[in-house]
Amino acid sequence: MKGNAAKGKQKRGAQRRDALIQAAAALFWIKGYSGTSLADVAKTSGVPLGNLYYYYKTKADLALGVANFFVDETTQLIEAVSQEKSDPRERLRFLVERMRATQGKRLSYGCPISAACRDFRETAPEASARAGESFALLIAFIAQELAKTGRKPSVALVKARHVIAEWQGGIALAHGLQQPNVLAETYARMERTLSG
């Protein structure tokens, strides 16, 4: 009986932690890190403010949790793309398709990873660096797949960086201009770069 109670408590704890991270990620993205209070996160997550401190002692700790969430999401994306397709070119096309699927929110709010890197840097530098690892993972994956198509590793790395820079620039410009066609053009250029 005690074992079941302990498992139930652990499950509730994991659910609360997840709710806090989901709420913080959304609020930091939409309202900005400095514009979001821990009380905002608690209210949005449905977790009492006093309980929030049990999981995250400081806002910087919560920022690190959000950054870890971004890295986990990126890792899961790469794993899903790798399992879905076996051909490197098909994997890269599928990766761009998956990125394209998130364009609506990015048009509205910009890139959450980029925002985290920028917004966390001053008061939560560890979280800023950790969020940036999401970009490093994408670059490494793209470079690896490009190398499998016969490109030299150094050329593959430069192309991979170019693609991620294109993606981020397209998001920033589309968000700033509020023009969805800018992102559509960006994804088309990314596909051409990766297939050429």
Side-chain angles (χ1 to χ4, degrees), residues 14 22 25 27 43-44 50 53 57 71 101 103 113 124 146 175 189:
Q22 293 284 338
L27 289 168
K43 182 179 179 184
T44 301
Y53 292 106
K57 303 293 184 214
V71 170
Q103 75 181 23
I113 300 167
L146 286 171
H175 173 64
R189 282 191 301 273

Side-chain angles (χ1 to χ4, degrees), residues 33-183:
Y33 181 64
S34 62
T36 302
S37 69
L38 291 179
D40 293 333
V41 174
K43 182 179 179 184
T44 301
S45 69
V47 175
L49 182 58
N51 289 11
L52 180 150
Y53 292 106
Y54 175 78
Y55 301 102
Y56 300 99
K57 303 293 184 214
T58 66
K59 195 172 174 184
D61 291 340
L62 190 55
L64 183 58
V66 168
N68 286 330
F69 171 72
F70 290 151
V71 170
D72 291 345
E73 273 197 330
T74 304
T75 301
Q76 290 169 17
L77 169 64
I78 290 168
E79 288 172 358
V81 167
S82 297
Q83 290 172 5
E84 184 72 25
K85 307 287 181 185
S86 58
D87 178 73
R89 287 180 179 88
E90 287 297 315
R91 282 182 175 169
L92 292 171
R93 273 194 285 277
F94 188 55
L95 176 66
V96 175
E97 283 177 32
R98 293 289 301 268
M99 292 169 140
R100 185 182 280 121
T102 66
Q103 75 181 23
K105 283 191 173 182
R106 282 175 166 74
L107 177 66
S108 298
Y109 305 112
C111 177
I113 300 167
S114 178
C117 291
R118 179 195 64 228
D119 293 352
F120 298 167
R121 184 155 289 136
E122 193 170 314
T123 57
E126 183 183 358
S128 174
R130 180 68 172 152
E133 289 177 31
S134 292
F135 294 134
L137 287 168
L138 286 169
I139 290 167
F141 175 72
I142 292 169
Q144 169 190 298
E145 296 304 309
L146 286 171
K148 290 177 186 175
T149 68
R151 289 178 178 86
K152 290 181 182 177
S154 59
V155 172
L157 181 59
V158 168
K159 252 188 195 228
R161 287 180 182 149
H162 172 80
V163 165
I164 296 303
E166 173 83 38
W167 179 51
Q168 286 299 296
I171 291 169
L173 190 59
H175 173 64
L177 297 174
Q178 286 297 288
Q179 293 182 1
N181 62 311
V182 172
L183 262 180

